[in-house]
Amino acid sequence: MRHDLDSILKENFGFNEFREGQKEVITDVLEGEDVLGILPTGTGKSLCYQLPAKVLGGTTLVVSPLISLMVDQVKQLKATGYKAVTAVNSFMDQPERNAVLKNLDQYSLVYISPEMLQNDWLQHRLKRMRVHLFVIDEAHCISQWGHEFRTDYLKLHQIIENLGHPTVMALSATATPEVQRDIMEKLKLPHMKKRIYPMDKQNISFAVEECTSPEEKTDRIVQVLEKNQAPTMIYFSSRQWAEKVSFELRERLNQRVAFYHGGMEQTDRMLVQQQFMNNQLDVICCTSAFGMGVDKKDIRIVIHFHLPPQLESFIQEVGRAGRDGGAAASLLLFTRQDHYLPQRLIQSELPEKNDLQQVFSFLKKKQGEEIPEDDGMIERFELSESQWNFIKFQLEEEGALQEGKLVGVTPELIQEIHRFLEERWMYKHNKLNEMLKWIHVSDCRRKALYQPFQDMIREPTVPCCDGCDFSMDDLSFQEERQTYDTFSWEDRLKMIFKQGAGL
Amino acid sequence: MFDHVVLTCVDRFRGERTVSGIYHLLTGKRSSQTLQDAKGYELDRLFGIYPSLKREQLERHAQALVQDGLIQINEQSFPTITSGGAEQLSSFPVDELKHFEGMVWHGVIPTFVKRVYLLLQMMANSNAGIHHYVPIVDDYGTQQWVRTVYHQFQDKLPKMVESMYEEIHHLLKKHPSNQADLFAYRLTGGGIIGMTIDQLKREFGLNGGDVELMLQHTHYYLFLESKKKKDQYPVLHLCTKGLDATHLITRSARKTYQYIQQGLSLQEIMNIRRLKKSTIQDHIVESALIIPDFSIASFLSEQDVQEINKMGIQMNTKKLKQIHEALNGKYDYFELRLALAKGQHAIKEGMT
Ligand SMILES: Nc1ncnc2c1ncn2[C@@H]1O[C@H](COP(=O)(O)OP(=O)(O)OP(=O)(O)O)[C@@H](O)[C@H]1O
Ligand SMILES: [Mg+2]
Ligand SMILES: [Zn+2]
């Protein structure tokens, strides 16, 4: 069966041509081949399965790691008129979930979280549907060497098997060759077709600057944004900082600034996101909770106020900029003290040796019993959620946790887990060191950034980096902005309802 | 506005309830204690008007009022109003709070609000020719509701848009203008995205709590007006459809109530329901509070009820401990609460 892909693209998505890689990956799955697609951030991986979903009929299942990301994508799709799409996740309320599950086979695109997939009933339901394409988005999550390892991803190969092996598409923007191999191995699909595209973004200029204090960072941002008027994102490693700096920028800049983080109330979060999309805001101060789901095409500047814990996160966050292909710039600010911040982040993810010891001596006494409730364990041993998840998964992986019961928590097992923990620590520290090394690079930063991922780095279409020919001070974006400054509630109401003259 | 609300609570509680009591009242905690407080101290209008209030936020606010010399908090953490506070309280414009009817409506206001915001977005957008957008209300039930309205009135849509504008305009015209401002800037539609609470605070120079309460007050106002006057506000009235007054009795208490109506004793109910004695007693007090003709004759005689209530009035207090002592421990606390709950209706009836 041959399809005129170009006209399908035009008709359904309104684009004139495919971006690099899209057509190849799409053709593969239409021909029934399993494919691993590595395409740069922001170039349009979603389209790689949205288009086949239309062509193939039946259901396309998309596994996505972050619920918020999933929900955002579904909202955006629906907003563009793509209606036969839904996201199944544990946060849906009962009536909605019932309605969706009842009509699951009516949807052409079903986003699903990996933990939901573990549900027996759902698996059974899926088995009786025509799942034609099984997509794994952010596929690096399956690899322990990927930067966002998710334990639930490891069980995907079983589900693929249960579903009678539909065509599989695994997608990622940030996977080193090592991670690519690991993905294929963990999916047990050694013959996957590899479609690897260079991930260096040719339209982004890079700069890194050292400051002596957080105040100096803020001063520098003010300086930059006084000269530039364009959609900007500033990343922070904590909510407090995002808020604090947003307040200051508001005072000091003639720009519309807001903060965004996971601690905000749901409605407010949506409003800020929509305001930014709608160009009612110029600058967003956010944590990594933003970004992921945001697909604003004309972001021109991405600033990092804090060091991300590894290059992959950095690449992904920078990938928010210039999604329309136009020129964009990345600025990372750091102080010497900042090195400790990501370290603390790592600590909150992995349990400490001491904690591990205590947890195990507790669990040893529970042999043969059900594993205690998550909340109870988290509270009792003052663990973070991801620390406890780590331990639980290790138990499961080593066969010490079967059907919710603890069996064989032996000294050898504990040894083994200790060893693995150490490995993870090492790994994370190495990652951090890579990041640290990168900020101190003195020649071409672009090359240094992308080298671990690909052999050849292409010539950029914009000034390259501060190691070559670029300085943040050269940057000058001046975009027009529409303002909705009004005075009374009556004006505002009129504008909303398009009442009165001149509106 | 937040000041106004908190001072009102402190004033009415007369130093007999803690800041925690105020917190439970404003967030609408469904315990018989809180319900009893709301009725007893005539704060039922404010019951549950601020469900998203955080405990620390209220505590911080109370501290600020202490600093300003408007209230005092004693060692047992019971706040009382100062003369300065009383003065302040009487200087607030009465219009500010007059539409709150929390006890009766707090259960349905959130649904009404979600409907209005989403329906308005849908209408304003279709009016502006915007057909693809992200719904501003994330709630499945509300989205279903708006969808139904859309299909039902598809051909009348332009008229309805016009009407919705007129209705809101007309109502806001008669409302304090600062509250009207907040509401209008909170709305999303016609290509304009509404402001967050934080942005509203900044834009209008308000403090924490004020924005939420002022918006909420406007919501009550729109709800009550449009609920009453269907002909005058047809579109807003549509948003009130099926939203009825809350019957505050909890399901569990209702069950106990039914057993009592069937003539079962407290002990028997405890056995059947496998609940603690105190829980069953709570249910009984709750029933007495909510259901005016609930007979408590099997627990207390008419004279007992009168004696207890008389003492309460005489001592000018609702504090159980004081009444308990004054009556030399003749009644236990359950009996006292029950009598006071019953007495509540007597007072109400006496007034009308
Ligand atoms: N062929 C195309 N022509 C023009 N625009 C496109 C094309 N394909 C996709 N886009 C647009 O590119 C943007 C980015 O798409 P998408 O969100 O799928 O990227 P992504 O690769 O998944 O990025 P991320 O790594 O951030 O997840 C979207 O706005 C999409 O509409
Ligand atoms: Mg993507
Ligand atoms: Zn360079």
Side-chain angles (χ1 to χ4, degrees):
Chain A
M1 190 170 33
R2 297 215 63 68
H3 301 282
D4 181 0
L5 292 181
D6 291 291
S7 61
I8 296 175
L9 178 72
K10 179 83 190 154
E11 244 164 64
N12 291 286
F13 300 90
F15 300 135
N16 291 321
E17 49 188 13
F18 285 100
R19 287 190 172 154
E20 189 178 33
Q22 287 179 328
K23 198 170 192 169
E24 290 77 358
V25 172
I26 290 170
T27 309
D28 289 341
V29 289
L30 290 185
E31 286 170 1
E33 281 200 76
D34 297 334
V35 60
L36 169 64
I38 310 290
L39 282 76
T41 49
T43 49
K45 285 185 288 296
S46 319
L47 188 110
C48 295
Y49 52 80
Q50 286 163 3
L51 192 150
K54 292 238 175 216
V55 176
L56 288 170
T59 300
T60 291
L61 210 53
V62 183
V63 183
S64 181
L66 269 184
I67 291 174
S68 59
L69 180 70
M70 235 159 59
V71 174
D72 277 344
Q73 290 212 355
V74 170
K75 267 190 225 148
Q76 278 163 25
L77 268 178
K78 282 198 171 151
T80 58
Y82 196 127
K83 300 282 179 207
V85 51
T86 188
V88 185
N89 62 66
S90 43
F91 287 122
M92 289 170 128
D93 60 17
Q94 202 61 42
E96 180 175 15
R97 184 146 20 143
N98 289 344
V100 166
L101 291 181
K102 206 170 82 203
N103 301 309
L104 202 58
D105 50 0
Q106 307 293 311
Y107 296 97
S108 118
L109 205 52
V110 176
Y111 286 81
I112 195 158
S113 58
E115 65 276 6
M116 274 304 277
L117 265 182
Q118 299 305 319
N119 181 310
D120 287 337
W121 183 86
L122 195 63
Q123 277 194 38
H124 195 71
R125 181 90 175 78
L126 289 171
K127 231 197 280 194
R128 284 178 300 141
M129 287 168 38
R130 297 183 303 137
V131 176
H132 287 171
L133 182 58
F134 190 94
V135 182
I136 303 156
D137 201 6
E138 315 290 342
H140 52 264
C141 293
I142 205 171
S143 168
Q144 289 170 23
W145 315 121
H147 53 111
E148 291 173 297
F149 180 44
R150 307 271 161 149
T151 47
D152 282 317
Y153 263 62
L154 283 177
K155 300 169 190 154
L156 290 181
H157 71 92
Q158 258 166 22
I159 292 165
I160 294 172
E161 212 169 287
N162 285 350
L163 293 179
H165 201 140
T167 310
V168 175
M169 173 189 285
L171 296 168
S172 173
T174 46
T176 58
E178 184 189 16
V179 173
Q180 294 165 18
R181 273 195 300 279
D182 207 23
I183 292 173
M184 291 168 37
E185 191 176 307
K186 295 281 154 47
L187 286 176
K188 302 206 193 307
L189 297 173
H191 302 299
M192 265 185 143
K193 190 144 189 174
K194 285 170 86 174
R195 294 285 186 184
I196 316 291
Y197 293 89
M199 52 184 291
D200 51 329
K201 304 271 284 188
Q202 290 171 285
N203 59 336
I204 300 182
S205 312
F206 292 91
V208 176
E209 295 177 9
E210 180 169 354
C211 298
T212 55
S213 66
E215 290 73 39
E216 203 181 301
K217 287 182 183 173
T218 313
D219 291 344
R220 179 61 179 146
I221 293 174
V222 170
Q223 233 175 35
V224 169
L225 295 184
E226 270 171 346
K227 280 183 42 208
N228 290 281
Q229 170 77 48
T232 299
M233 288 180 71
I234 309 177
Y235 276 101
F236 297 81
S237 65
S238 76
R239 296 170 181 181
Q240 291 80 353
W241 273 105
E243 286 194 19
K244 187 173 133 86
V245 174
S246 81
F247 296 144
E248 199 173 335
L249 293 182
R250 239 178 233 167
E251 296 297 316
R252 295 175 61 184
L253 283 170
N254 178 27
Q255 303 220 32
R256 296 159 303 174
V257 186
F259 62 84
Y260 180 105
H261 55 63
M264 284 162 69
E265 191 242 329
Q266 167 71 25
T267 307
D268 281 357
R269 243 163 37 174
M270 172 148 37
L271 288 173
V272 170
Q273 196 169 328
Q274 292 300 312
Q275 289 169 359
F276 192 48
M277 296 298 271
N278 204 34
N279 292 324
Q280 279 173 247
L281 282 173
D282 306 305
V283 181
I284 293 245
C285 295
C286 61
T287 60
S288 54
F290 199 66
M292 281 296 252
V294 178
D295 179 36
K296 182 170 167 62
K297 295 179 174 55
D298 57 354
I299 295 171
R300 300 268 76 94
I301 304 174
V302 170
I303 298 175
H304 279 83
F305 195 91
H306 292 124
L307 276 183
Q310 66 251 310
L311 290 177
E312 283 91 339
S313 328
F314 178 71
I315 289 174
Q316 208 157 46
E317 286 163 6
V318 168
R320 300 299 116 199
R323 287 162 97 88
D324 55 4
S330 151
L331 171 64
L332 186 152
L333 300 171
F334 75 97
T335 66
R336 295 275 155 173
Q337 293 80 359
D338 281 356
H339 301 17
Y340 301 108
L341 261 171
Q343 208 142 348
R344 248 175 270 149
L345 219 71
I346 298 175
Q347 273 163 12
S348 74
E349 266 174 53
L350 294 176
E352 304 234 10
K353 269 188 150 177
N354 274 344
D355 292 339
L356 208 57
Q357 213 90 51
Q358 285 178 2
V359 170
F360 279 131
S361 49
F362 175 77
L363 290 180
K364 254 201 308 222
K365 290 185 226 128
K366 304 254 163 203
Q367 294 275 20
E369 296 176 28
E370 300 245 325
I371 186 158
E373 295 269 323
D374 292 351
D375 291 344
M377 289 301 286
I378 286 171
E379 206 167 296
R380 184 178 191 121
F381 295 99
E382 294 180 4
L383 301 168
S384 74
E385 208 179 303
S386 51
Q387 286 173 336
W388 171 237
N389 281 342
F390 177 92
I391 296 173
K392 220 167 67 172
F393 176 72
Q394 292 306 320
L395 289 170
E396 216 169 298
E397 196 56 355
E398 301 292 332
L401 181 59
Q402 282 174 12
E403 283 160 13
K405 288 213 171 75
L406 287 165
V407 289
V409 181
T410 59
E412 294 75 48
L413 168 91
I414 297 171
Q415 276 268 300
E416 177 61 26
I417 295 180
H418 262 296
R419 198 191 50 71
F420 183 71
L421 179 64
E422 234 152 71
E423 224 172 73
R424 282 309 282 171
W425 270 98
M426 279 290 287
Y427 170 76
K428 295 252 172 187
H429 277 274
N430 288 341
K431 282 284 168 201
L432 177 57
N433 280 335
E434 271 177 28
M435 188 76 225
L436 291 174
K437 222 157 84 194
W438 183 72
I439 61 177
H440 293 294
V441 159
S442 55
D443 43 3
C444 182
R445 262 185 222 292
R446 169 185 301 279
K447 288 209 179 101
L449 182 63
Y450 293 116
Q451 222 133 42
F453 301 94
Q454 66 197 61
D455 303 332
M456 280 282 295
I457 316 288
R458 298 169 295 180
E459 274 303 307
T461 56
V462 293
C464 180
C465 69
D466 56 354
C468 301
D469 56 349
F470 174 70
S471 151
M472 215 46 204
D473 295 321
D474 303 340
L475 203 63
S476 175
F477 290 118
Q478 290 304 333
E479 284 174 20
E480 290 211 7
R481 67 175 188 188
Q482 194 180 1
T483 51
Y484 295 100
D485 293 335
T486 50
F487 298 101
S488 70
W489 63 265
E490 284 190 278
D491 294 337
R492 182 86 172 189
L493 202 61
K494 274 184 189 152
M495 277 174 66
I496 290 172
F497 281 95
K498 310 282 175 248
Q499 300 278 326
L503 291 165
Chain B
M1 178 87 143
F2 199 21
D3 280 355
H4 192 168
V5 167
V6 176
L7 284 179
T8 302
C9 293
V10 171
D11 186 40
R12 297 267 170 92
F13 275 153
R14 299 182 302 190
E16 296 174 356
R17 289 292 176 272
T18 60
V19 174
S20 227
I22 300 178
Y23 171 75
H24 293 317
L25 178 89
L26 295 179
T27 53
K29 184 176 178 192
R30 286 167 162 244
S31 69
S32 46
Q33 174 74 63
T34 308
L35 291 175
Q36 208 166 337
D37 280 356
K39 294 252 178 186
Y41 294 99
E42 289 173 54
L43 284 166
D44 41 350
R45 286 167 168 276
L46 302 186
F47 181 88
I49 58 166
Y50 194 174
S52 64
L53 177 65
K54 300 273 181 306
R55 194 184 277 272
E56 312 80 60
Q57 186 189 347
L58 179 63
E59 264 153 26
R60 250 182 302 152
H61 201 83
Q63 281 311 323
L65 291 175
V66 172
Q67 297 269 300
D68 295 344
L70 302 178
I71 63 173
Q72 286 170 334
I73 300 184
N74 71 9
E75 284 131 43
Q76 288 86 45
S77 46
F78 291 93
T80 46
I81 197 155
T82 64
S83 58
E87 207 171 294
Q88 180 100 327
L89 190 56
S90 60
S91 74
F92 285 128
V94 275
D95 275 6
E96 255 195 3
L97 295 184
K98 71 174 177 191
H99 298 294
F100 280 129
E101 282 187 28
M103 184 69 102
V104 187
W105 299 110
H106 77 282
V108 297
I109 290 291
T111 307
F112 171 72
V113 172
K114 283 186 271 187
R115 287 179 179 179
V116 169
Y117 281 76
L118 190 61
L119 186 66
L120 188 143
Q121 183 192 25
M122 186 270 275
M123 292 204 173
N125 278 358
S126 86
N127 186 44
I130 301 169
H131 298 295
H132 301 309
Y133 53 90
V134 177
I136 208 65
V137 173
D138 217 4
D139 172 72
Y140 176 72
T142 310
Q143 292 181 1
Q144 286 300 95
W145 182 84
V146 169
R147 218 165 283 155
T148 313
V149 170
Y150 178 83
H151 287 304
Q152 207 170 348
F153 298 99
Q154 214 162 3
D155 38 334
K156 299 200 193 97
L157 221 50
K159 261 216 156 102
M160 282 176 81
V161 178
E162 192 69 22
S163 176
M164 190 167 202
Y165 170 75
E166 295 292 345
E167 291 171 30
I168 292 176
H169 187 264
H170 190 249
L171 283 166
L172 290 185
K173 208 77 194 169
K174 298 187 290 180
H175 199 52
S177 72
N178 57 346
Q179 295 191 18
D181 280 338
L182 288 176
F183 181 70
Y185 275 79
R186 180 74 167 163
L187 296 172
T188 293
I192 297 172
I193 310 293
M195 286 190 176
T196 65
I197 299 292
D198 175 70
Q199 288 167 336
L200 289 171
K201 257 184 229 167
R202 199 164 32 92
E203 185 77 22
F204 295 96
L206 293 164
N207 294 319
D210 288 348
V211 171
E212 286 97 327
L213 282 168
M214 287 162 90
L215 280 173
Q216 192 73 322
H217 187 242
T218 306
H219 298 154
Y220 273 86
Y221 165 62
L222 298 178
F223 176 82
L224 292 169
E225 286 296 297
S226 60
K227 181 113 190 137
K228 269 188 297 221
K229 301 171 188 158
K230 178 178 177 187
D231 294 338
Q232 212 172 340
Y233 310 112
V235 178
L236 288 178
H237 182 81
L238 194 63
C239 299
T240 71
K241 274 274 179 68
L243 302 183
D244 298 317
T246 318
H247 302 294
L248 264 180
I249 188 161
T250 55
R251 193 181 309 200
S252 188
R254 183 175 294 278
K255 213 162 189 180
T256 297
Y257 166 75
Q258 283 161 352
Y259 281 128
I260 293 199
Q261 292 301 87
Q262 291 166 19
L264 270 64
S265 72
L266 212 156
Q267 187 60 46
E268 284 170 318
I269 300 173
M270 278 165 60
N271 293 344
I272 293 177
R273 302 205 59 194
R274 295 171 192 229
L275 290 172
K276 282 193 306 215
K277 186 171 179 186
S278 61
T279 309
I280 302 290
Q281 288 179 335
D282 279 345
H283 291 165
I284 295 170
V285 174
E286 193 180 328
S287 306
L289 206 54
I290 307 292
I291 303 164
D293 42 7
F294 175 51
S295 164
I296 57 166
S298 54
F299 305 104
L300 278 174
S301 73
E302 191 58 37
Q303 278 107 327
D304 295 338
V305 174
Q306 270 179 20
E307 185 180 13
I308 294 167
N309 277 290
K310 242 209 224 122
M311 186 56 81
I313 293 166
Q314 194 181 321
M315 297 182 63
N316 191 23
T317 185
K318 305 267 175 198
K319 272 194 161 170
L320 298 177
K321 190 151 174 261
Q322 287 178 16
I323 300 176
H324 184 74
E325 278 164 12
L327 291 166
N328 299 318
K330 182 171 166 197
Y331 302 102
D332 66 22
Y333 281 94
F334 165 60
E335 289 168 332
L336 293 180
R337 282 166 58 207
L338 192 57
L340 291 175
K342 204 63 197 160
Q344 205 51 54
H345 296 298
I347 295 169
K348 278 263 160 73
E349 276 152 30
M351 285 194 315
T352 52

